[in-house]
């Protein structure tokens, strides 16, 4: 690796964000937009804890394949416009993806041990 790094990086705790990726088995989550179906195969869920509040899922970005076989990205905002609660009309399947991401990241209490 041809890279060097120095310093003591510090995370700000005012508005921490964590993005968690999950692989989705093809065919288990179909997204529809404008009458076109897309087969999701990966999702990246962004969690935030603004002003030291509880962690909440705020958006999901799906990687999917369209009927033409081309890859597309589809973004879903999970919070309402005031950012004080869930957005109305978000399908249950998308909330399940957010729950899977939270579970796979230890409910965003990510546990990690650096290599020795």
């Amino acid at each position: 690796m041809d890279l060097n790094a120095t310093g003591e990086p510090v995370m700000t705790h005012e508005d921490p964000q964590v993005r968690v990726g999950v692989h989705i088995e093809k065919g288990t989550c179909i997204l529809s937009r404008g009458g076109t179906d897309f087969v999701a195969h990966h999702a990246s869920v962004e969690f935030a804890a603004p002003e030291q509040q509880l962690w909440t899922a705020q958006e999901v970005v799906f990687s999917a394949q369209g009927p033409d076989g081309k890859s597309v990205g589809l973004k879903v905002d999970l919070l309402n416009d005031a950012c004080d609660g869930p957005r109305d009309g978000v399908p249950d399947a998308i909330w399940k993806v957010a729950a899977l991401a939270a579970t796979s990241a230890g409910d965003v209490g990510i546990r990690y041990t650096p290599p020795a």
Side-chain angles (χ1 to χ4, degrees):
M1 175 191 265
D2 188 20
L3 177 69
N4 189 18
T6 60
E8 291 292 326
V10 175
M11 184 175 128
T12 61
H13 291 283
E14 294 156 6
D15 190 13
Q17 296 177 337
V18 174
R19 190 170 284 276
V20 179
V22 292
H23 291 286
I24 301 169
E25 187 174 331
K26 284 192 176 186
T28 61
C29 184
I30 308 298
L31 306 166
S32 297
R33 178 176 282 168
T36 303
D37 289 344
F38 300 91
V39 179
H41 54 84
H42 187 268
S44 181
V45 182
E46 184 175 284
F47 295 89
E51 299 172 5
Q52 298 182 2
Q53 296 178 15
L54 296 176
W55 287 97
T56 186
Q58 60 183 28
E59 75 176 26
V60 182
V61 178
F62 287 96
S63 296
Q65 191 172 37
D68 58 1
K70 292 184 179 177
S71 293
V72 297
L74 301 168
K75 179 181 168 184
V76 179
D77 290 323
L78 299 175
L79 297 179
N80 61 25
D81 292 337
C83 293
D84 62 359
R87 181 173 297 281
D88 291 333
V90 175
D92 287 342
I94 293 175
W95 287 114
K96 288 180 183 177
V97 169
L100 287 171
T103 301
S104 72
D107 294 327
V108 192
I110 297 171
R111 292 161 183 80
Y112 173 74
T113 304

